Amino acid sequence: MPETTASAPQAQPFRASIMQIEPQWIDYNGHLNMAYYNVMFDRAIDQLWLELGMGPAYMKERGGSSFTAECHVRYLREIHLGDPVQIFVWLLEADDKRLHTFEEMRHATEGWLSATSENMSLHMDMNARRVAPFPPDIRERIAAVTKAHGAVARPEGIGRSVAMPSKR
């Protein structure tokens, strides 16, 4: 998929391509191993980054990329071999150097929610290997997508933390 910044962002979450579970990703419990949820979430983010103009060509030609600084995954319903998966991504917030995203992994034909992933990504100058501001053209595209995604209802689960249930 070529990198593009030509289309206007839509007032809906980004929809990644439908993906299939690979047989070697199934663990001894008979479901998708937790590590591969992250692989699939990462593949979806890579597709959004292409739309923002931040894919492999951006790294090669302009020396910019992104690193994940923080990730919180919730596993809500098992995914099994043969289940088609689609991931929806909201670009919630951004500043000069960071992107806050939220993803939902859903069964592609039945629509039920399997998992969510909330992430903070950092923009990197790969030559210096340091966090750096986005170039103006990329920042403008990020702002447009963030605004479009802000017009959509936010999904449940944003901002959750890991904690034991409180005892009352």
Side-chain angles (χ1 to χ4, degrees):
M1 177 184 301
E3 291 182 40
T4 180
T5 58
S7 61
Q10 302 295 311
Q12 61 188 16
F14 175 79
R15 290 177 178 233
S17 300
I18 293 174
M19 296 179 243
Q20 297 296 320
I21 306 301
E22 297 184 20
Q24 66 273 20
W25 295 353
I26 301 299
D27 64 19
Y28 57 85
N29 293 314
H31 61 208
L32 183 63
N33 179 276
M34 65 182 283
Y36 296 103
Y37 282 84
N38 285 310
V39 168
M40 297 181 88
F41 282 130
D42 192 50
R43 288 180 178 178
I45 285 293
D46 283 347
Q47 288 180 30
L48 176 58
W49 279 192
L50 282 172
E51 293 291 317
L52 293 173
M54 294 177 27
Y58 176 68
M59 211 296 272
K60 183 178 178 182
E61 296 164 10
R62 299 174 71 179
S65 191
S66 70
F67 288 1
T68 300
E70 187 173 345
C71 177
H72 179 196
V73 178
R74 294 184 308 145
Y75 306 95
L76 305 170
R77 184 170 171 182
E78 294 176 299
I79 287 281
H80 299 93
L81 187 62
D83 288 336
V85 171
Q86 188 166 37
I87 296 174
F88 298 78
V89 184
W90 283 258
L91 183 48
L92 300 173
E93 295 181 79
D95 64 16
D96 291 342
K97 301 176 185 178
R98 295 175 294 188
L99 300 168
H100 180 193
T101 57
F102 187 84
E103 300 167 81
E104 289 184 340
M105 178 184 292
R106 293 188 170 273
H107 191 282
T109 57
E110 297 174 13
W112 46 263
L113 183 62
S114 173
T116 67
S117 181
E118 186 169 7
N119 300 276
M120 186 66 65
S121 299
L122 305 174
H123 180 257
M124 302 296 294
D125 174 334
M126 295 302 289
N127 296 316
R129 304 288 289 190
R130 295 186 114 23
V131 177
F134 293 102
D137 60 316
I138 300 296
R139 180 70 183 112
E140 184 177 304
R141 182 67 179 166
I142 289 167
V145 172
T146 303
K147 182 178 179 182
H149 289 187
V152 180
R154 289 189 170 218
E156 187 277 323
I158 294 171
R160 300 248 333 220
S161 63
V162 177
M164 295 295 285
S166 62
K167 296 180 182 179
R168 296 188 176 177

